Amino acid sequence: MKTKPGALALLVSLTLSTLTGCSMSDSKDSHAIPFAGISASSDAADSMVRVSSALYDLIGVKGKASETQPGVTECSGKDRDKYFTIFHPWNITPTKTTAAELDAVMERLKKELPEHGWEIVEYGRDTSKNKNLSLTADNDEQKVSVKLASYTKDTPPSLGLMVVSGCYQIPEGKKIERF
């Protein structure tokens, strides 16, 4: 299935406002996207891949992970030539895990993620017709948020993730690479 660029931009925008609006903030405004540091966009994307890899290890489900790469988007309300956010959508299609076991994985992650620096900010069934189990967590130290969803009614069942960084600033004299 192909996704139109406009649809992806809308998804990222909605996800950014949902994920980074919780506790992961340096300011008094709880909806402000936190400052993640000064970085080239390619280095920040590499960092996001490392976060996704660590999450994959925590999930602990054998299966096929999608090969999507991180993307770059602007920070809402900031100069788009100086500030950017990294997002990394991906999923895992388990090889042998059943739909019921995926929900058990989500329950386990709800307990284990806090042991690895994540704060669970939302957990429960979403409002879709399938009532997917979803979890949103923030990692204040890494300035990253993740939203996981267990798609148990899909064929085959899968876990979907959207990992989103805080707001980076490009180093002086550099340009943001958009990918």
Side-chain angles (χ1 to χ4, degrees):
M1 177 174 84
K2 291 187 177 182
T3 304
K4 294 180 181 178
L8 182 58
L10 177 61
L11 172 66
V12 170
S13 174
L14 290 171
T15 302
L16 285 172
S17 64
T18 300
L19 292 180
T20 58
C22 300
S23 67
M24 192 181 77
S25 178
D26 293 332
S27 74
K28 292 180 178 147
D29 178 3
S30 65
H31 296 297
I33 297 174
F35 181 67
I38 298 173
S39 178
S41 47
S42 59
D43 292 338
D46 290 345
S47 177
M48 187 64 68
V49 169
R50 287 190 295 278
V51 169
S52 288
S53 180
L55 286 167
Y56 178 81
D57 292 343
L58 282 173
I59 290 167
V61 172
K62 300 285 186 213
K64 173 100 171 106
S66 62
E67 297 182 18
T68 58
Q69 298 299 312
V72 178
T73 191
E74 59 191 64
C75 291
S76 180
K78 296 205 178 261
D79 183 340
R80 71 179 315 272
D81 293 326
K82 292 182 181 180
Y83 297 92
F84 64 94
T85 298
I86 303 291
F87 64 95
H88 189 203
W90 58 284
N91 64 31
I92 301 170
T93 304
T95 49
K96 296 182 180 179
T97 306
T98 67
E101 290 170 325
L102 281 183
D103 280 352
V105 167
M106 294 288 285
E107 186 64 32
R108 179 179 54 77
L109 288 171
K110 179 183 170 193
K111 293 175 185 165
E112 290 181 8
L113 282 170
E115 297 169 12
H116 296 274
W118 295 89
E119 178 186 351
I120 307 301
V121 294
E122 188 175 313
Y123 183 81
R125 299 282 171 190
D126 65 19
T127 58
S128 72
K129 72 175 186 167
N130 290 337
K131 302 290 184 214
N132 302 310
L133 186 57
S134 67
L135 177 152
T136 303
D138 293 341
N139 189 310
D140 286 342
E141 183 180 323
Q142 296 182 28
K143 304 298 186 217
V144 176
S145 289
V146 64
K147 182 165 184 123
L148 293 101
S150 174
Y151 301 114
T152 57
K153 301 215 173 162
D154 288 359
T155 304
S158 66
L159 288 175
L161 293 91
M162 173 63 91
V163 187
V164 180
S165 76
C167 192
Y168 285 97
Q169 181 178 346
I170 194 75
E172 191 69 36
K174 301 284 184 180
K175 292 193 183 257
I176 297 171
E177 298 172 73
R178 306 273 178 196
F179 45 86

